[in-house]
C-alpha cells in the first residue's frame, strides 16, 4: 500500500494494462497474478506475435517450452496454469521450473 498514493492510483496502475499489473505484482513479490483466462489471452498474443498466428497444435515441443518460459518468467504463471494453457505434461513443467504451488 505504501507504493501508491491512494486506491485510485493503484486501480489505475493495475487496470491500465497487463504490463503495469505485472510490475506491481513483481514489486509486491506476488506469485500468480493473472487468471487462466487473462493468461490465455496473453498466450494468444504471444502466438500471434512470435509464431505468426500459429495454432497451439502446430507448435513444436521446443516452441511450447519457449512459450512456457515466457509465461513463467514474464507473467509469473504457476506450473498448473502452464500445464492447463499449453498442455505440457506435469513432469516436463516441474522439471523446467521446479515444483511450485499450483
Amino acid at each position: 500500500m505504501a507504493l501508491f498514493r491512494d486506491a485510485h492510483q493503484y486501480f489505475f496502475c493495475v487496470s491500465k494494462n497487463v504490463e503495469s499489473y505485472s510490475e506491481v505484482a513483481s514489486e509486491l513479490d506476488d506469485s500468480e497474478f493473472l487468471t487462466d483466462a487473462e493468461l490465455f489471452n496473453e498466450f494468444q498474443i504471444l502466438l500471434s506475435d512470435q509464431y505468426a498466428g500459429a495454432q497451439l497444435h502446430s507448435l513444436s515441443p521446443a516452441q511450447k517450452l519457449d512459450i512456457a518460459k515466457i509465461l513463467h518468467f514474464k507473467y509469473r504463471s504457476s506450473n498448473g496454469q502452464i500445464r492447463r494453457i499449453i498442455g505440457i505434461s506435469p513432469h516436463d513443467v516441474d522439471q523446467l521450473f521446479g515444483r511450485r504451488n499450483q
Side-chain angles (χ1 to χ4, degrees):
M1 293 175 82
L3 297 173
F4 305 99
R5 289 189 305 265
D6 55 24
H8 297 289
Q9 183 191 21
Y10 170 78
F11 183 75
F12 175 76
C13 287
V14 298
S15 64
K16 188 169 91 174
N17 58 34
V18 172
E19 287 78 21
S20 65
Y21 190 39
S22 65
E23 287 174 24
V24 169
S26 295
E27 285 184 33
L28 297 174
D29 199 28
D30 195 4
S31 55
E32 185 177 314
F33 58 85
L34 294 178
T35 65
D36 284 3
E38 293 167 331
L39 190 62
F40 184 76
N41 186 44
E42 292 303 313
F43 168 70
Q44 294 291 359
I45 292 169
L46 284 171
L47 286 180
S48 176
D49 291 347
Q50 294 194 358
Y51 299 104
Q55 298 296 315
L56 175 61
H57 64 274
S58 66
L59 294 178
S60 71
Q63 290 172 321
K64 288 181 182 180
L65 292 178
D66 288 341
I67 292 281
K69 289 176 186 174
I70 293 170
L71 294 178
H72 178 79
F73 293 112
K74 183 174 181 185
Y75 298 103
R76 299 174 63 116
S77 58
S78 69
N79 292 0
Q81 285 181 308
I82 292 170
R83 284 195 297 265
R84 289 188 296 272
I85 291 176
I86 301 177
I88 298 174
S89 75
H91 173 58
D92 289 343
V93 176
D94 290 344
Q95 193 172 21
L96 248 175
F97 307 117
R99 194 149 179 73
R100 291 182 18 190
N101 293 336
Q102 309 306 314

